[in-house]
Amino acid sequence: MLWEAPRSRSYKSWGVEPGTTPPTAAPPPLKGPSGSAPSPVQCRLNPNRGSLKMDPRRRHTGPWCPAAVFASVAASEVPMSLPLGLWGTTLTENTAENRELYVKTTLRELLVYIVFLVDICLLTYGMTSSSAYYYTKVMSELFLHSPSDTGISFQAISSMEDFWEFAQGPLLDSLYWTKWYNNQSLGRGPHSFIYYENLLLGVLRLRQLRVRNDSCVVHEDFREDILSCYDVYSPDKEERLPFGPLNGTAWTYHSQDELGGSSHWGQLTSYSGGGYYLDFPGSRQACAEALRDLQEGLWLDRGTRVVFIDFSVYNANINLFCVLRLVVEFPATGGAIPSWQIRTVKLIRYISNWDFFIIGCEITFCIFIFYYIVEEILELRIHGLRYLSSIWNILDLVVILLSIMAVGFHIFRTLEVNRLMEKLLQQPNMYADFEFLAFWQTQYNNMNAVNLFFAWIKIFKYISFNKTMTQLSSTLARCAKDILGFAVMFFIVFFAYAQLGYLLFGTQVENFSTFVKCIFTQFRIILGDFDYNAIDNANRILGPVYFVTYVFFVFFVLLNMFLAIINDTYSEVKEELAGQKDELQLSDLLRQGYNKTLRRLRLRKEQVSDVQKVLRAGEQEIQFEDFTNTLKELEHTEHEKTKLTAAFTRFDQDGNGVLDEKEQKEMRQNLEGERVAVHAELENLGWSIERGLPGESSPKQDAKAGGWVSGEEFYTLTRRVLQLETVLEGVMTQVDAMSSKLTVVEREWLAPPPGAGEQGIWEHLQAAPAVTPAPWGL
């Protein structure tokens, strides 16, 4: 009966070797051909009588348990249930006692991951453009810095009068470009091309949010003088009733769902996507008349808390959209606070040749994501929840989740852009609402930036296989608890000073106007970026006291304690790593592979030379027996002679066991080509045929140095070792075959009779005869 086991090949893979003590517990549940699980075979000598989850990377020791041996023998014949060869990692391979396998597996993982990293870099940078910054700069200079006749620009708006002056002057002048600088028509129809290059998509939308008159309470002492009260904006105090002349959408409230808008986080608070709106008419003259009507009807009054100006432009030269939102907030204190949001995004893809190259990168990216998903599933299946105990494994999951989200958003973005563009083409005089899509495109770019950052950090997972690379990770891991305890003490003091600064200077210093700004201001003080004069002017007594005590306790005391913790831990880790035994490094692996390849090539070259010597004997015909005897005189092993005689048989076309002149000529040509190829490979490795291996010396050098072994003798020994290695490979093959036969025989002897219970299985196993290997010659 066979049972499924992960990566089980032999006794040794389960920690059971011939002549050693088998495991102490029963094997995993057995499965028959039908997949049903029979009664578990338990070990009577095990006092725990529990099932054991066998781990191929763990050596089990304990009392003798025949049932465990039976399970191990059966498992040695079962092929792997999981195809881990393609997805094998250091967490799935048996690398606990094989440092060379660990380094090779890590190196393979690193090479695969570098390809993935290059692919994700191409994708991330392929979605950006070097022209995006200049596009944003041009639009901001046009709409934010262009002044009116009286010198009012958008950034200089400080009242409602300034807003109307900007809207009727610089805003309309910047939006509608229908003539050249010599007053000749652009000749492109009614559409406006800003700076002659940027198409205005649809029309502009003007929207405001208001609060109710009764949104706050006036103190009874002032009720006779103050008849109305308008509080700061909040959704529950928002005005939703019509007002004014009631002759259009500008005077009627519309909800966020009706407008299809989205909320906005301003300088003072967050605003909803609804409100009172006006979509501008197509021409500049009509827009000026609409703005004049709004101004005369007092569209802006004491209840107005914010005004939004939304529009979008597209530049076909660089295939970029620029979505602009100009915001003017009117706080309850009076005045105006302008702000803006300019998002330059690439919404239309797959136009240029570079975009089609990115398609290939996207397909490769999806293949890599599938590959890593399967890899993580296999590791989770093997290790369970213990897999999440490593920060690198958690980082793997984070990168995969962010990548899956990126693929999903990319599909959504493509479909939504197609829908909006189709709608805009059908109704070119409507408002093109790209604000929502531009917002999520920006978040998508931010997510890709974070994902790329984590992908670069993940490289440390693969290059930390020697003690030099592990100093940083070991230091941080060891001092994590000390840093956590220090962080509690640090932030208690830090937040206490932040609260103190907010209460002392919050009404006079902008950097301390909110508690969040106090926190960032104190971090800037640690870095040396602060305005001491503002603190001193705000409070001439407590200001210097706050500053001096904060710098002393936080900068000189706490910060140096933090550095001392890391420094002491680093010294301990470095001292321990210096005393450890040097393990196999990457350079050692490359050097071993290089030397082994070089020696095999030189041995192969010598074999070719020996065969060429036989062919150069001048005989018209070469007998097969003479050929083998000559090879024997040249001290070739049986394995080498077998390979060389196979070459003799291949060129013996008539099969008579004799090489005539024509066959010898073909064999010489073939051997010469092979000799040239081997010589070229040796030259590519950087060593001429006359030179020895790295670390070896020539006979002349040895003679001059008076060494005990000459270079020629050393090479002969090297050749003998390689020959011995070849012979041992054949012996191991025979040993494996014999082991398989013994396994079959032992399984037949250990198999219990059908229908036997647990007691019957135990008696059958105890009565089983001992297996004695047959002599190697039989």
Side-chain angles (χ1 to χ4, degrees):
M1 299 175 67
L2 302 179
W3 57 281
E4 297 179 0
R7 297 188 66 81
S8 299
R9 298 178 183 272
S10 61
Y11 290 96
K12 187 174 182 180
S13 63
W14 289 101
V16 181
E17 300 179 356
T20 61
T21 306
T24 62
L30 304 180
K31 290 185 179 180
S34 62
S36 61
S39 301
V41 181
Q42 298 179 342
C43 178
R44 296 183 181 273
L45 296 182
N46 182 11
N48 298 326
R49 295 179 59 87
S51 62
L52 174 65
K53 183 178 180 180
M54 305 293 284
D55 188 349
R57 291 179 297 277
R58 178 180 175 186
R59 182 178 297 279
H60 304 280
T61 58
W64 169 257
C65 181
V69 176
F70 171 71
S72 179
V73 172
S76 63
E77 295 185 27
V78 180
M80 293 183 296
S81 60
L82 297 176
L84 297 181
L86 180 61
W87 287 277
T89 64
T90 55
L91 296 179
T92 58
E93 296 288 348
N94 183 14
T95 59
E97 299 179 357
N98 192 338
R99 182 67 181 179
E100 183 175 356
L101 177 61
Y102 172 76
V103 175
K104 288 182 178 179
T105 305
T106 304
L107 184 60
R108 179 178 58 81
E109 288 186 74
L110 176 60
L111 295 177
V112 173
Y113 187 75
I114 287 176
V115 178
F116 169 74
L117 187 61
V118 171
D119 184 72
I120 193 175
C121 287
L122 291 175
L123 282 179
T124 306
Y125 291 109
M127 292 183 294
T128 60
S129 174
S130 59
S131 303
Y133 167 75
Y134 301 103
Y135 197 13
T136 304
K137 185 174 182 293
V138 167
M139 291 294 106
S140 62
E141 289 179 351
L142 178 63
F143 289 98
L144 302 181
H145 302 287
S146 298
S148 64
D149 295 337
T150 59
I152 297 298
S153 64
F154 179 79
Q155 288 183 326
I157 293 176
S158 60
S159 64
M160 294 182 182
E161 292 80 1
D162 294 342
F163 173 80
W164 288 118
E165 185 174 350
F166 164 78
Q168 295 175 357
L171 179 61
L172 294 181
D173 294 338
S174 302
L175 280 175
Y176 295 98
W177 294 53
T178 58
K179 297 181 179 180
W180 286 100
Y181 48 83
N182 60 354
N183 291 326
Q184 292 184 3
S185 175
L186 288 176
R188 300 183 182 180
H191 299 289
S192 173
F193 285 85
I194 302 173
Y195 276 128
Y196 315 117
E197 302 292 346
N198 306 283
L199 174 65
L200 177 63
L201 300 176
V203 297
L204 177 144
R205 170 169 289 181
L206 189 66
R207 178 172 60 94
Q208 74 156 315
L209 288 172
R210 305 168 55 85
V211 293
R212 297 190 306 269
N213 185 13
D214 59 348
S215 56
C216 57
V217 179
V218 179
H219 194 270
E220 58 183 6
D221 296 340
F222 298 96
R223 287 178 182 175
E224 295 181 359
D225 300 324
I226 301 176
L227 303 179
S228 59
C229 180
Y230 297 89
D231 201 354
V232 298
Y233 176 84
S234 63
D236 58 325
K237 299 175 182 179
E238 186 177 328
E239 178 65 80
R240 301 184 181 182
L241 298 177
F243 74 105
L246 306 177
N247 58 357
T249 58
W251 311 96
T252 307
Y253 180 82
H254 297 78
S255 65
Q256 179 173 322
D257 295 335
E258 292 175 347
L259 297 180
S262 57
S263 60
H264 176 82
W265 188 10
Q267 296 290 325
L268 301 178
T269 184
S270 180
Y271 304 95
S272 68
Y276 306 84
Y277 77 96
L278 172 66
D279 289 342
F280 277 22
S283 64
R284 186 186 189 284
Q285 183 178 359
C287 292
E289 294 178 357
L291 288 175
R292 192 178 305 112
D293 293 340
L294 293 180
Q295 183 180 9
E296 293 176 355
L298 289 180
W299 192 64
L300 301 181
D301 57 14
R302 291 181 59 194
T304 302
R305 286 294 171 260
V306 64
V307 176
F308 298 95
I309 303 174
D310 295 311
F311 59 97
S312 303
V313 296
Y314 172 70
N315 191 308
N317 300 333
I318 54 179
N319 188 27
L320 290 178
F321 288 80
C322 189
V323 183
L324 296 94
R325 167 169 284 183
L326 308 181
V327 184
V328 181
E329 298 175 77
F330 299 96
T333 59
I337 302 176
S339 61
W340 57 90
Q341 200 172 72
I342 302 177
R343 295 190 175 102
T344 302
V345 293
K346 185 177 183 180
L347 299 179
I348 299 179
R349 305 290 302 277
Y350 316 132
I351 295 180
S352 62
N353 294 330
W354 172 255
D355 294 333
F356 289 107
F357 170 75
I358 295 297
I359 292 180
C361 296
E362 291 173 350
I363 297 175
T364 306
F365 179 77
C366 294
I367 295 174
F368 270 111
I369 294 304
F370 173 77
Y371 171 83
Y372 283 117
I373 288 176
V374 175
E375 180 180 285
E376 298 301 317
I377 291 175
L378 295 176
E379 294 177 350
L380 281 170
R381 180 175 178 180
I382 293 176
H383 297 279
L385 295 179
R386 291 184 293 107
Y387 175 80
L388 301 177
S389 61
S390 173
I391 187 64
W392 297 116
N393 298 335
I394 297 177
L395 186 60
D396 292 344
L397 297 178
V398 170
V399 172
I400 291 176
L401 291 178
L402 291 177
S403 301
I404 294 175
M405 293 173 59
V407 173
F409 180 83
H410 179 72
I411 297 174
F412 165 77
R413 186 269 311 275
T414 303
L415 298 177
E416 190 67 13
V417 168
N418 294 335
R419 184 187 68 82
L420 289 176
M421 295 302 298
E422 182 180 358
K423 184 178 179 180
L424 180 62
L425 293 175
Q426 294 176 355
Q427 299 177 349
N429 294 325
M430 64 172 292
Y431 168 64
D433 187 8
F434 285 93
E435 174 62 30
F436 176 77
L437 196 59
F439 169 78
W440 284 108
Q441 176 67 32
T442 304
Q443 306 309 315
Y444 171 70
N445 294 338
N446 297 337
M447 180 181 64
N448 284 333
V450 174
N451 192 20
L452 183 61
F453 170 78
F454 286 147
W456 276 102
I457 296 298
K458 188 181 170 183
I459 293 182
F460 286 101
K461 173 183 178 181
Y462 301 108
I463 65 175
S464 59
F465 50 79
N466 59 10
K467 60 184 181 181
T468 302
M469 297 296 181
T470 56
Q471 287 184 2
L472 176 60
S473 59
S474 300
T475 301
L476 295 179
R478 180 169 299 186
C479 67
K481 293 182 179 180
D482 295 335
I483 292 179
L484 181 61
F486 167 79
V488 174
M489 178 179 61
F490 174 82
F491 283 109
I492 289 175
V493 178
F494 188 83
F495 287 129
Y497 272 100
Q499 193 74 21
L500 177 62
Y502 173 66
L503 297 176
L504 291 178
F505 320 115
T507 59
Q508 302 182 52
V509 182
E510 181 182 1
N511 292 332
F512 291 87
S513 59
T514 63
F515 183 73
V516 176
K517 287 186 177 180
C518 289
I519 294 176
F520 288 103
T521 301
Q522 291 187 158
F523 278 116
R524 291 169 58 187
I525 292 176
I526 294 177
L527 299 176
D529 180 16
F530 58 90
D531 186 2
Y532 174 76
N533 292 329
I535 300 175
D536 184 60
N537 295 332
N539 195 318
R540 306 190 69 176
I541 297 177
L542 296 179
V545 173
Y546 162 84
F547 180 77
V548 172
T549 56
Y550 173 78
V551 171
F552 177 77
F553 286 109
V554 175
F555 185 77
F556 289 106
V557 178
L558 296 180
L559 187 60
N560 283 279
M561 286 179 60
F562 173 75
L563 297 176
I565 292 173
I566 296 182
N567 187 40
D568 292 344
T569 307
Y570 178 78
S571 300
E572 295 176 1
V573 171
K574 188 173 182 180
E575 184 178 357
E576 291 181 2
L577 292 177
Q580 289 182 359
K581 179 182 177 182
D582 291 336
E583 296 179 330
L584 181 63
Q585 306 294 324
L586 178 62
S587 57
D588 300 332
L589 180 64
L590 297 177
R591 190 183 303 109
Q592 290 178 4
Y594 175 82
N595 293 339
K596 190 173 182 180
T597 302
L598 186 63
R599 288 168 181 168
R600 288 185 179 277
L601 288 174
R602 295 191 63 176
L603 181 60
R604 179 180 165 192
K605 176 182 176 298
E606 185 168 337
Q607 293 175 356
V608 172
S609 301
D610 291 343
V611 175
Q612 288 179 332
K613 291 179 181 178
V614 177
L615 296 177
R616 292 171 184 170
E619 299 180 3
Q620 296 181 352
E621 295 183 352
I622 300 179
Q623 301 289 335
F624 179 78
E625 184 177 357
D626 298 337
F627 183 82
T628 55
N629 293 334
T630 305
L631 295 178
K632 186 175 181 181
E633 294 176 357
L634 295 175
E635 299 181 352
H636 284 277
T637 62
E638 293 295 333
H639 183 72
E640 293 177 348
K641 287 191 295 183
T642 303
K643 293 172 60 178
L644 297 177
T645 53
F648 182 96
T649 307
R650 180 161 57 91
F651 287 97
D652 185 12
Q653 299 178 358
D654 50 9
N656 58 356
V658 178
L659 289 180
D660 54 20
E661 294 182 357
K662 180 180 179 181
E663 294 170 345
Q664 292 182 38
K665 182 178 180 181
E666 293 179 358
M667 193 172 184
R668 289 192 192 95
Q669 294 176 354
N670 182 270
L671 291 174
E672 181 63 23
E674 186 172 357
R675 187 190 67 81
V676 172
V678 173
H679 181 81
E681 293 182 16
L682 288 171
E683 291 293 337
N684 290 335
L685 288 175
W687 298 88
S688 63
I689 299 177
E690 290 77 11
R691 296 178 63 181
L693 299 176
E696 297 178 357
S697 57
S698 62
K700 295 181 180 180
Q701 293 172 342
D702 289 334
K704 293 180 180 179
W708 292 350
V709 180
S710 64
E712 183 178 358
E713 293 174 343
F714 178 79
Y715 174 70
T716 302
L717 293 175
T718 303
R719 175 187 170 191
R720 296 286 179 85
V721 170
L722 291 176
Q723 293 173 352
L724 180 61
E725 179 181 331
T726 304
V727 174
L728 288 177
E729 289 179 358
V731 174
M732 292 303 298
T733 302
Q734 297 179 3
V735 171
D736 291 340
M738 182 62 68
S739 176
S740 300
K741 295 180 180 179
L742 292 175
T743 300
V744 175
V745 174
E746 186 174 1
R747 187 184 62 177
E748 293 177 355
W749 284 343
L750 296 178
E758 180 180 347
Q759 182 65 27
I761 295 175
W762 177 259
E763 295 176 354
H764 175 78
L765 291 174
Q766 287 182 331
V771 180
T772 303
W776 294 109
L778 298 181

